[in-house]
């Protein structure tokens, strides 16, 4: 009897300790998080057979069509202008420090040579090339990190338990729905991705929200999957675009289409954690190539967005949607080049910085690195600027010319005699502080 009770107590205790087990990031992960934050700028690539329909990556669900009819696009996918070297060069020239590519989006098409499904770029297309391998090799060659987007939601497979999107996509055999089978499939794919493509900087998951409608929470078994990622590659960061505050086991907090703390698109209402932050944003209006969407943001807007992200202590993951022929759109390449020109000059005030002492203002924002506080002034109607500061300012100068900027100590900070600021992308003033 006593023995039985003791056993029960021991069993209970071990359950308690298991459930109380917290994710302890390893030293490798902590280092990777720091490097990630220092990078500040990455390029997102949304590319798949959806590009051929040229209506964005949600086409299968938005059109509500038959999955087998949709899949016929694969048999004509021949992106003969795809050139990993050109992509990576253009992205490096932009000053971006990492690339995140869609390995498998919600339509279920895999952009690598996977053994887990025939619906992939090598087996299902006349092109027959493993573009992920080519890209991974080129990233290694040119020294830029590679992150992998991977969808949890799936709009084509029989075994995926249907969520709140795409339930009207036809052609799927409902009798074959099996979470066990689907979960197993995903983990085997993740194993391939983290085994065959060299070091991966981060796994960027997306699709959790497909089951956020459930009264009883859907169990995605993320703990096990995250542990698998960390086991396969101890320096690979885990990110999940679930639009919630971070879950246990995650290393990055993602925001979509809005900077942390802003929520104009209704996808970023979550509170801000202490994890490294990343905001993903489109260059036009859609992620995947969309022929009618030529509404590209100007280079000035994009630079200011990058600077504003840095001013909030966040990275910008800026998207480009390659064309069906495999080329990056020329308008996108032009913006990448111009952003790179700006960063070549002002990168010091962005890379490796933290959010500055003064929170974002109507005139711009601030970043900090060591004893340098950088003011990024986009526009200023007044001739002078009051900065609430608790540190001592030793000197102030215009970042690009080095010319001294006059300032005066006042109660609670300084008044900086900038003069009116207009007609510039970003007037950067460097303060040396003590
Ligand atoms: C998600 C993807 O669906 C999208 O295709 C793209 O990859 C982006 C980066 O991430 O964006 C979402 C996800 C969920 C909703 C909207 C956009 N939602 O639930 O309305």
């Amino acid at each position: 009897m006593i023995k039985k009770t003791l056993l029960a107590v021991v069993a209970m205790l071990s359950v308690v300790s298991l459930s109380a087990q917290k994710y302890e990031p390893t030293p490798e992960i902590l280092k990777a998080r720091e490097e990630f934050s220092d990078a500040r700028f990455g390029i997102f690539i949304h590319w798949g057979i959806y590009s051929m329909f040229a209506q964005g990556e949600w086409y299968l669900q938005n059109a509500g069509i038959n999955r087998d009819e949709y899949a016929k696009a694969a048999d004509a996918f021949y992106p003969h202008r795809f050139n990993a070297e050109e992509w990576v060069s253009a992205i490096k020239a932009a000053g971006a420090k990492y690339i995140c590519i869609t390995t498998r989006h919600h339509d279920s098409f895999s952009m690598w040579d996977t053994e887990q499904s025939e619906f992939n770029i090598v087996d299902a297309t006349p092109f027959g090339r493993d573009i992920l391998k080519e890209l991974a090799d080129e990233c290694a060659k040119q020294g830029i990190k590679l992150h992998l987007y991977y969808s949890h939601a799936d709009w084509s497979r029989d075994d995926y338990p249907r969520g709140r999107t795409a339930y009207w996509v036809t052609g799927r055999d409902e009798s074959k729905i099996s979470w066990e089978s689907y979960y197993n499939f995903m983990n085997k794919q993740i194993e391939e991705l983290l085994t065959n493509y060299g070091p991966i900087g981060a796994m960027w998951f997306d699709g959790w929200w497909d089951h956020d409608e459930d009264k009883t929470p859907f169990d995605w078994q993320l703990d096990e999957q995250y542990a698998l990622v960390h086991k396969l590659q101890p320096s690979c960061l885990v990110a999940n675009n679930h639009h919630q505050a971070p879950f246990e086991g995650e290393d990055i907090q993602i925001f979509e289409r809005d900077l942390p703390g802003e929520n104009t698109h209704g996808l970023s209402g979550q509170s801000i954690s202490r994890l490294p932050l990343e905001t993903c944003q489109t260059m036009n209006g859609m992620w995947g190539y969309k022929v009618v969407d030529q509404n590209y943001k100007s280079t000035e807007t994009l630079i200011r967005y990058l600077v504003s992200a840095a001013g909030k202590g966040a990275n910008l993951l800026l998207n480009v949607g390659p064309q069906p022929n495999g080329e990056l759109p020329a308008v996108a390449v032009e913006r990448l080049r111009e952003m790179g020109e700006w960063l070549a000059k002002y990168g010091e005030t962005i890379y490796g910085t933290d959010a500055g002492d003064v929170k974002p203002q109507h005139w711009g924002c601030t970043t900090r690195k060591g004893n340098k506080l950088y003011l990024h002034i986009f526009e200023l109607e007044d001739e002078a600027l009051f900065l609430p500061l608790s540190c001592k300012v030793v000197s102030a100068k215009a970042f690009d010319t080095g010319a001294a900027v006059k300032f005066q100590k006042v109660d609670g900070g300084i008044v900086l005699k900038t003069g009116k600021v207009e007609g510039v992308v970003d007037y950067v003033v460097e303060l040396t502080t003590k």
Side-chain angles (χ1 to χ4, degrees), residues 52-360:
M52 292 185 72
F53 298 101
Q55 306 205 42
E57 79 289 354
W58 272 53
Y59 179 61
L60 173 60
Q61 111 92 38
N62 292 351
I65 47 181
N66 180 280
R67 64 126 195 238
D68 299 317
E69 290 301 321
Y70 174 88
K72 288 179 181 171
D75 198 36
F77 193 49
Y78 198 88
H80 64 110
R81 296 208 189 276
F82 170 72
N83 180 323
E85 198 215 321
E86 278 174 23
W87 279 22
V88 176
S89 301
I91 290 166
K92 276 202 82 172
K97 303 293 186 194
Y98 59 98
I99 300 175
C100 183
I101 184 164
T102 49
T103 57
R104 174 173 151 278
H105 207 268
H106 312 328
D107 68 354
S108 199
F109 186 77
S110 298
M111 295 294 278
W112 79 97
D113 187 11
T114 179
E115 295 292 311
Q116 312 311 323
S117 153
E118 297 265 292
F119 194 38
N120 72 66
I121 189 148
V122 174
D123 295 321
T125 76
F127 194 55
R129 278 160 54 186
D130 185 341
I131 66 104
L132 187 62
K133 182 87 185 95
E134 294 181 27
L135 187 65
D137 289 349
E138 191 60 33
C139 284
K141 197 166 149 200
Q142 295 203 35
I144 184 167
K145 286 213 161 81
L146 182 62
H147 295 187
L148 306 180
Y149 170 107
Y150 187 83
S151 176
H152 278 138
D154 191 293
W155 295 334
S156 289
R157 287 178 63 88
D158 289 326
D159 57 3
Y160 175 71
R162 313 280 183 275
R164 71 165 157 84
T165 57
Y167 49 82
W168 52 84
V169 167
T170 58
R172 295 175 291 176
D173 183 347
E174 296 223 4
S175 72
K176 294 197 179 132
I177 293 177
S178 159
W179 165 249
E180 203 188 331
S181 151
Y182 182 66
Y183 186 63
N184 189 36
F185 158 77
M186 285 197 293
N187 289 341
K188 282 193 174 147
Q189 282 212 314
I190 290 168
E191 190 165 342
E192 289 178 354
L193 290 171
L194 293 176
T195 308
N196 303 332
Y197 297 90
I200 299 302
M203 284 300 295
W204 208 101
F205 293 109
D206 185 29
W208 177 93
W209 39 262
D210 199 29
H211 278 286
D212 63 4
E213 84 288 7
D214 291 354
K215 296 264 183 319
T216 36
F218 182 86
D219 186 5
W220 285 98
Q221 292 182 253
L222 294 176
D223 289 352
E224 264 173 84
Q225 199 167 65
Y226 291 173
L228 174 70
V229 171
H230 286 135
K231 187 186 93 187
L232 290 166
Q233 291 209 16
S235 295
C236 182
L237 302 172
V238 169
N240 193 331
N241 185 32
H242 45 47
H243 310 143
Q244 312 288 308
F247 301 160
E248 199 67 27
E250 295 172 3
D251 300 303
I252 298 171
Q253 181 175 15
I254 300 171
F255 294 81
E256 183 174 339
R257 289 183 188 260
D258 265 302
L259 296 175
E262 297 173 7
N263 190 14
T264 60
H265 283 87
L267 299 169
S268 297
Q270 69 271 40
S271 60
I272 303 168
S273 76
R274 301 183 64 179
L275 291 180
L277 310 175
E278 178 182 72
T279 283
C280 56
Q281 181 58 284
T282 54
M283 217 186 245
N284 45 358
M286 199 61 183
W287 307 94
Y289 179 69
K290 187 170 176 182
V291 69
V292 294
D293 183 4
Q294 295 303 321
N295 190 20
Y296 277 78
K297 296 169 185 75
S298 68
T299 302
E300 177 182 282
T301 299
L302 293 171
I303 291 171
R304 286 182 176 179
Y305 205 76
L306 171 67
V307 173
S308 301
K312 289 193 168 238
N315 289 12
L316 171 63
L317 180 61
L318 180 63
N319 186 73
V320 176
Q323 298 170 168
N325 70 355
E327 280 176 323
L328 307 179
V331 262
V333 173
E334 186 189 323
R335 279 156 182 74
L336 291 179
R337 188 178 43 75
E338 289 170 353
M339 289 182 86
E341 281 165 12
W342 187 87
L343 273 165
K345 212 162 152 193
Y346 295 96
E348 202 182 319
T349 73
I350 302 293
Y351 303 123
T353 60
D354 293 316
D357 311 26
V358 182
K359 66 175 186 358

